[in-house]
Amino acid sequence: EAGVTQFPSHSVIEKGQTVTLRCDPISGHDNLYWYRRVMGKEIKFLLHFVKESKQDESGMPNNRFLAERTGGTYSTLKVQPAELEDSGVYFCASSQELAANTGELFFGEGSRLTVL
Amino acid sequence: AQTVTQSQPEMSVQEAETVTLSCTYDTSESDYYLFWYKQPPSRQMILVIRQEAYKQQNATENRFSVNFQKAAKSFSLKISDSQLGDAAMYFCAYGEETSGSRLTFGEGTQLTVNP
C-alpha cells in the first residue's frame, strides 16, 4: 500500500514568488491534514480536510496560504506571495478516523520550503 | 490553549541501554489523548505509542512504554534495550475529541543511539 506522498521534497524560492505543495494521501483516507514545522520549533496544525471540505482551517497563518482538495483526493497548499517566515517543513498527513481520537496519522516525508 | 513542552532538545543513549524522554502538557480538559511520534532521518513520522487520559494503566508497545502522570500533566517515553534504529526525532503530541482534528505537538527531542 502506498503511503502519503508529498511533492516537492525541497523547494527554494525568492521572497514574493509563489509555491505550490502537493500531497497525495493514502487511498480511502477521508481525513487530510497539513502541518508545518518552522525553524526547528513545534509542529503546528494548519488545516484539516474531510474529503473535499475544509473541516478546520484555524491554523492557517494568513490569506497568503490557500489549500484545496478538489475531488477529495490529493491536496495542494499554495503560498502566494511567499515571505521569509514561511520557510519550514510542511507535513501532510491522512487518516481514516479523526486524528485526535486515534492518533493514527500517516505522515508524508514533508516538503521543505526555503524562502530567500 | 493546550501546549506541549519537550524540555530536552537532544538526548543520547548507548545501544542496549534505557532512555527516558520527557514531555509535559497543559490542558483544562479531563478527557484527551497523548501520543509519541518518531521521525527517523529522511523518513515519515510514525506513531510509536498512544495513551488515553481516562486509562490509569500506562501504555506499552514492545520496548516502548510511557509513564503517564495525569495530575502532574506529564507523559514521558521510556525506550528499553535501545537499538540503532531508534535514533530519530521524537515528538510528543496531544489531542482531544472536542478539537477533533487538531493535534498539538511539542518541539521534539533528537535521540542519538551510540554503538
Side-chain angles (χ1 to χ4, degrees):
Chain A
E1 176 183 287
V4 176
T5 57
Q6 292 187 245
F7 182 82
S9 58
H10 192 188
S11 180
V12 182
I13 61 173
E14 299 281 337
K15 175 183 173 182
Q17 290 185 321
T18 297
V19 64
T20 299
L21 310 178
R22 173 172 169 143
C23 169
D24 286 78
I26 292 174
S27 178
H29 281 189
D30 288 340
N31 296 284
L32 186 149
Y33 309 83
W34 284 98
Y35 285 84
R36 176 174 75 168
R37 186 172 191 226
V38 173
M39 292 288 288
K41 293 193 175 293
E42 71 270 26
I43 299 170
K44 285 193 173 181
F45 169 82
L46 295 179
L47 87 160
H48 168 216
F49 284 99
V50 177
K51 296 184 180 179
E52 68 275 10
S53 299
K54 291 176 185 175
Q55 188 74 16
D56 180 357
E57 53 183 328
S58 61
M60 294 287 265
N62 51 61
N63 59 11
R64 296 185 293 102
F65 289 75
L66 175 64
E68 295 180 323
R69 192 183 182 193
T70 306
T73 54
Y74 71 91
S75 175
T76 57
L77 179 64
K78 183 164 71 173
V79 185
Q80 179 185 28
E83 298 289 344
L84 298 178
E85 63 264 26
D86 300 332
S87 296
V89 180
Y90 290 76
F91 292 101
C92 177
S94 71
S95 69
Q96 288 184 317
E97 296 185 40
L98 290 176
N101 293 352
T102 69
E104 197 65 71
L105 278 181
F106 294 86
F107 280 85
E109 293 188 17
S111 290
R112 180 175 296 276
L113 173 63
T114 301
V115 182
L116 303 177
Chain B
Q2 287 78 17
T3 58
V4 176
T5 302
Q6 293 178 248
S7 59
Q8 306 153 316
E10 298 177 347
M11 290 283 285
S12 63
V13 63
Q14 290 296 124
E15 197 174 3
E17 294 189 346
T18 296
V19 65
T20 298
L21 308 184
S22 301
C23 173
T24 58
Y25 58 94
D26 186 29
T27 184
S28 58
E29 301 293 328
S30 58
D31 291 328
Y32 49 87
Y33 302 83
L34 295 163
F35 313 94
W36 278 98
Y37 277 85
K38 163 187 176 181
Q39 185 181 24
S42 303
R43 301 281 301 277
Q44 287 102 330
M45 192 153 47
I46 58 173
L47 178 65
V48 174
I49 199 165
R50 167 178 177 262
Q51 174 82 42
E52 293 94 332
Y54 65 86
K55 288 186 177 179
Q56 293 186 342
Q57 187 173 6
N58 289 323
T60 298
E61 287 289 340
N62 300 314
R63 297 181 296 105
F64 297 85
S65 62
V66 299
N67 183 4
F68 173 48
Q69 301 290 327
K70 191 172 184 179
K73 296 180 182 175
S74 170
F75 182 61
S76 60
L77 174 70
K78 185 172 81 172
I79 306 174
S80 303
D81 186 24
S82 297
Q83 300 176 1
L84 296 178
D86 295 332
M89 180 70 81
Y90 287 80
F91 292 97
C92 179
Y94 166 101
E96 59 186 61
E97 290 191 25
T98 54
S99 66
S101 59
R102 191 179 325 128
L103 292 187
T104 302
F105 286 85
E107 294 188 4
T109 297
Q110 181 67 53
L111 178 66
T112 301
V113 181
N114 300 310

